[in-house]
Amino acid sequence: MRCRAVVSQGNFVVATGPKTIQHPTGGIVRELLVSEGDHVTAGQTLVVLDRVVTDAQAHAVASSLVQKQARLDRLIAERDGVDTLTFSHVQPPVLRGHTEFEDFLEVERRQFDSRREDRNGQRRQLLQRVSQAEEEIAGDAAQLDAVTREAMRPTNAEPVEVERTGKEVLGCWSIGWR
């Protein structure tokens, strides 16, 4: 296991007796490099803190950051209707040494591709519906034109007597009487 030193700062005031020094955010002391009564110099490392907790916290924050940056890039790409997803908001230094972060990017790529295909399918379906509506409109317009021409055509409205049947013919309609 590789050991790293963390320099912790404290304030010393010239006075008699021992002084307590405390790390501002806390942590677990991994190694104490001085003992009570030792003389120390400016810049000398006094304690080494265990970085397990801080490394885990940093990794969790970096993980959350990459996920959110990748999601932001995907949402912007979906909004703009682009065909290819690029991760311009994901900071390359955050990715260095963390291959598991690539999984976050892959998830966003798959979701982008899936949603793009869904949108393209919906677009094709809408284009078919528009075409169908245009055909129906053309059919209705042709039917309206035919009905209008028929209504405007002059008709023979004079009664025509038919051989002793007692009926008159008006246009193509026959009206009977008694």
Side-chain angles (χ1 to χ4, degrees), residues 137-155:
I137 289 169
D140 286 352
Q143 187 176 6
L144 178 61
D145 186 46
V147 169
T148 303
R149 277 194 317 255
E150 182 67 30
M152 300 301 284
R153 193 173 77 193
T155 60

Side-chain angles (χ1 to χ4, degrees), residues 37 58 64-65 74 150 158 162:
S64 176
L65 177 65
R74 177 184 52 82
E150 182 67 30
E158 296 179 24
V162 180

Side-chain angles (χ1 to χ4, degrees), residues 3-28:
C3 182
R4 293 185 216 150
V6 176
V7 177
S8 177
Q9 296 182 7
N11 294 324
F12 291 93
V13 178
V14 177
T16 58
K19 296 295 174 191
T20 304
I21 48 175
Q22 183 177 354
H23 190 273
T25 59
I28 299 170

Side-chain angles (χ1 to χ4, degrees), residues 66-132:
V66 169
Q67 285 178 317
K68 289 175 180 165
Q69 289 170 331
R71 184 176 305 120
L72 174 65
D73 285 331
R74 177 184 52 82
L75 292 172
I76 289 171
E78 287 177 1
R79 177 200 65 193
D80 295 347
V82 299
D83 291 327
T84 304
L85 176 60
T86 58
F87 294 104
S88 60
H89 288 90
V90 177
Q91 302 299 318
V94 175
L95 296 175
R96 269 189 223 117
H98 297 285
T99 55
E100 69 274 14
F101 290 171
E102 281 294 326
D103 293 342
F104 301 143
L105 304 183
E106 186 56 33
V107 165
E108 294 299 328
R109 277 187 200 103
R110 283 195 307 264
Q111 188 167 11
F112 174 79
D113 291 341
S114 173
R115 291 173 66 141
R116 184 188 64 219
E117 286 304 314
D118 288 347
R119 280 191 314 277
N120 289 342
Q122 289 173 348
R123 191 173 294 118
R124 283 189 299 271
Q125 198 174 43
L126 288 172
L127 288 172
Q128 288 174 345
R129 289 175 63 190
V130 165
S131 177
Q132 182 181 7

